[in-house]
Amino acid sequence: MESDVTHTDKQTNILFHKVPYDYFDSRGLFSVWSMSLMCQEVRGPLYKVLLPDVREEMQRRGSTVFVKTQEITVYPPAYRKVTPQTPLTGTASLLHIGKTSYGVMQELRLHRSGEIVCRTATLMVQTDRTTRRPRQFSEDRIKSAQAKVYGVKTNFMGPIMDIPPPSSYVHRIVVAHSDIDRNRHVNQSNYVRFCLDCAACGAMDQAYTTLRKDISLYPVRTISILYMREAVARDQLEIISWEDQLKQIGRASCRERV
């Protein structure tokens, strides 16, 4: 994907000249899981450009970062304007850094008008590559990163999902090797895709009382994600979806099949 990267003291910016054709759904709309993937691209330069001390320490220790929570807010009036020829501007800023984690805000906007397409608040946790357990940043690295904090600290933990009712719709998949990223587990954007695919299949199977057509006809507004554990290639997953009590909000969860 062709892009240009610039930055200030507390923010990184990416200009995406075009959007890949395979980032659009069957109706030609910019898909939500693709927005999640692009927001991942947006925060990459922030880690390299604004947090070089943290990056150097993690490389020396053999650490990586895992996503713990994400809150994705989508703005349909703008994302419906996106085409493969639409340039987008992505920005990323550091919201806070703690002992083992740091929070990042990412935004995608229409480059010409500045209209916001989506906003994502992501909580990242430093993790040992071997033990897969959290690891603390050194005090001096935390202090140097705090000078880069921009904006207001966000509550990254969205509301915990309800327990799925017995009538939930269940969609089963096997994790493919193409779903795995460099951390050797399913990339976070793929969980968004898994859950939306489950909702689409449920609508086609008449499993809901309100969603009964092509799922792309119902614009997504907010996605809250809490990552509990890793999934790897060949794992069997159950994606479970249901409607809330008011029949206004679709919910879904993804768990390993036991």
Side-chain angles (χ1 to χ4, degrees):
M1 193 186 315
E2 185 180 356
S3 61
D4 298 318
V5 178
T6 59
H7 67 91
T8 64
D9 290 342
K10 295 187 176 182
Q11 192 173 63
T12 55
N13 310 283
I14 300 184
L15 171 59
F16 297 102
H17 297 278
K18 295 180 180 180
V19 181
Y21 280 93
D22 55 358
Y23 279 23
F24 295 82
D25 63 22
S26 59
R27 297 183 63 243
L29 294 176
F30 191 24
S31 65
V32 177
W33 77 267
S34 296
M35 295 182 209
S36 173
L37 191 60
M38 289 190 75
C39 282
Q40 178 179 321
E41 296 291 328
V42 167
R43 69 174 176 266
L46 179 138
Y47 175 61
K48 296 177 181 178
V49 176
L50 297 188
L51 302 174
D53 294 342
V54 172
R55 181 170 181 250
E56 181 275 330
E57 180 180 77
M58 290 177 57
Q59 290 177 334
R60 176 166 42 83
R61 289 177 165 185
S63 298
T64 185
V65 287
F66 285 0
V67 173
K68 181 60 178 178
T69 68
Q70 280 187 304
E71 186 84 12
I72 305 172
T73 305
V74 180
Y75 299 86
Y79 89 71
R80 289 179 178 273
K81 298 178 182 179
V82 179
T83 72
Q85 304 301 317
T86 302
L88 298 176
T89 299
T91 61
S93 54
L94 182 69
L95 294 180
H96 90 101
I97 184 165
K99 291 183 178 180
T100 63
S101 64
Y102 62 88
V104 180
M105 180 67 75
Q106 307 108 84
E107 292 184 347
L108 279 178
R109 294 178 178 269
L110 299 178
H111 177 64
R112 295 190 176 93
S113 68
E115 293 176 82
I116 188 164
V117 175
C118 74
R119 176 180 288 122
T120 303
T122 307
L123 183 64
M124 316 285 294
V125 178
Q126 182 186 193
T127 306
D128 186 286
R129 288 186 183 275
T130 302
T131 65
R132 319 301 268 185
R133 303 294 299 172
R135 171 178 273 174
Q136 291 191 3
F137 297 110
S138 62
E139 290 295 332
D140 59 331
R141 295 300 188 269
I142 293 175
K143 185 176 181 179
S144 66
Q146 285 174 340
K148 305 291 185 179
V149 171
Y150 179 83
V152 180
K153 183 177 178 180
T154 298
N155 180 13
F156 293 92
M157 184 69 70
I160 301 299
M161 287 185 174
D162 301 330
I163 297 175
S167 58
S168 298
Y169 181 81
V170 179
H171 180 63
R172 296 180 175 88
I173 66 168
V174 176
V175 175
H177 284 275
S178 58
D179 296 323
I180 305 302
D181 62 18
R182 64 183 300 177
N183 284 325
R184 308 194 309 275
H185 60 201
V186 174
N187 183 271
Q188 71 268 7
S189 64
N190 285 327
Y191 288 105
V192 177
R193 178 168 58 85
F194 294 163
C195 290
L196 291 176
D197 284 347
C198 175
C201 290
M204 293 172 64
D205 289 343
Q206 304 293 295
Y208 317 117
T209 60
T210 53
L211 307 179
R212 291 186 172 274
K213 299 179 181 180
D214 184 338
I215 198 69
S216 63
L217 295 173
Y218 305 93
V220 175
R221 299 302 180 103
T222 304
I223 298 176
S224 300
I225 310 171
L226 171 63
Y227 298 97
M228 305 293 291
R229 57 176 293 182
E230 298 177 90
V232 298
R234 302 180 65 185
D235 276 349
Q236 298 182 53
L237 302 181
E238 288 184 343
I239 298 90
I240 307 167
S241 64
W242 66 99
E243 295 171 307
D244 73 352
Q245 294 181 351
L246 297 177
K247 305 291 176 63
Q248 295 177 344
I249 303 175
R251 298 183 183 270
S253 68
C254 183
R255 70 184 183 190
E256 184 174 358
R257 187 180 181 188
V258 179

